[in-house]
Amino acid sequence: MKRRSILTTIIAFLLLAAVIAAGINAIFTITYVQATFRTYTERGAAAAESLKEELNGFLNKSSTFLDLSEVRAVVEENPRFEVVEIRKDYPETLVVEVTERREAFAVAAGDGTYHVLDEVGNVLGSVSSAEGYILLEGFTLTVENAKADGAHFGEVLAVYGAMQKHLGEVRANVISVALEAPAEGWTLFRIRMREGAQIVLLNPAERAGEMAEAATKVYLGTEGDDWTDADRILSTITVSIVKDDGRINIGITR
């Protein structure tokens, strides 16, 4: 008799818990997905529309028991997107803010196509032409977990960041960055500008950003008095480090 009483109590408790859970689920249910996207390309805008539909799959799910890591996984399945914020706005709203990673570089994939990389080396997809991107030539890059890496790639990113401070959208001015080794112990970055000028960084190594910034200022005419529009078409700006005192030296060949 005592066992039956205990069993009845347990069943009653489970039924009560189920009723309470059902009540909570009814009150705390996702009825609105507030998704905000910041995109920069047509491909990004199209992908955002598709992602919105996927996020609507969380409608009618319990906001109490929803694991936000599931939402993050849906967004990050497309490497083009980066999560800015994911949160629950109780009792009924799922808030998702997403931004498109900025396309920057193209590097040959070996099959006639090009990997598209963002500003920090994330692989965003592939294209059939490098037109409109900064083509990386002569670099041996590896791709692992949708991230590019390799010798001198960190220096490329430093150059890009330094030029971005003065140019804004670097792709509007830079066509390509080529790695060359003119002699043993020497490396250089040859940066081809869209107007025709070239920037050459000799042995950039850890000071690649500083060297690129100095060259960009000359290219824009913000440093030096004799830089003309014609120079922007015909000249080569060569940047090196003076060994004796570490100064940045700039030479212009017209």
Side-chain angles (χ1 to χ4, degrees), residues 169-241:
E169 179 51 79
V170 182
R171 290 189 300 163
N173 295 91
V174 178
I175 296 176
S176 64
V177 179
L179 173 65
E180 300 177 11
E184 185 176 352
W186 283 81
T187 60
L188 65 82
F189 286 179
R190 187 178 300 278
I191 304 170
R192 290 176 56 217
M193 309 302 286
R194 197 164 295 279
E195 295 88 344
Q198 295 188 35
I199 294 174
V200 175
L201 309 182
L202 295 176
N203 290 331
E206 69 276 1
R207 298 188 65 182
E210 292 179 66
M211 296 169 74
E213 183 168 11
T216 304
K217 288 179 179 179
V218 172
Y219 167 77
L220 291 174
T222 57
E223 286 195 359
D225 299 327
D226 56 352
W227 184 257
T228 67
D229 289 340
D231 291 324
R232 197 169 284 117
I233 299 173
L234 301 171
S235 298
T236 296
I237 303 169
T238 302
V239 186
S240 59
I241 302 295

Side-chain angles (χ1 to χ4, degrees), residues 36-49:
T36 304
F37 291 86
R38 183 181 295 110
T39 60
Y40 305 104
T41 66
E42 291 183 4
R43 284 185 293 276
E49 290 300 319

Side-chain angles (χ1 to χ4, degrees), residues 44-61:
E49 290 300 319
S50 177
L51 181 55
K52 284 180 183 178
E53 293 300 318
E54 292 186 66
L55 291 174
N56 284 337
F58 291 101
L59 290 171
N60 299 319
K61 291 195 173 184

Side-chain angles (χ1 to χ4, degrees), residues 99-150:
T99 186
E100 182 182 7
R101 301 180 191 274
R102 286 185 175 273
E103 297 177 338
F105 308 102
V107 58
D111 59 357
T113 65
Y114 298 85
H115 293 301
V116 175
L117 313 181
D118 75 352
E119 299 167 322
V120 295
N122 291 299
V123 181
L124 307 186
S126 63
V127 292
S128 58
S129 169
E131 182 67 30
Y133 302 96
I134 300 171
L135 178 62
L136 301 183
E137 300 176 289
F139 294 89
T140 302
L141 301 182
T142 58
V143 176
E144 186 174 348
N145 297 323
K147 185 89 171 185
D149 198 7

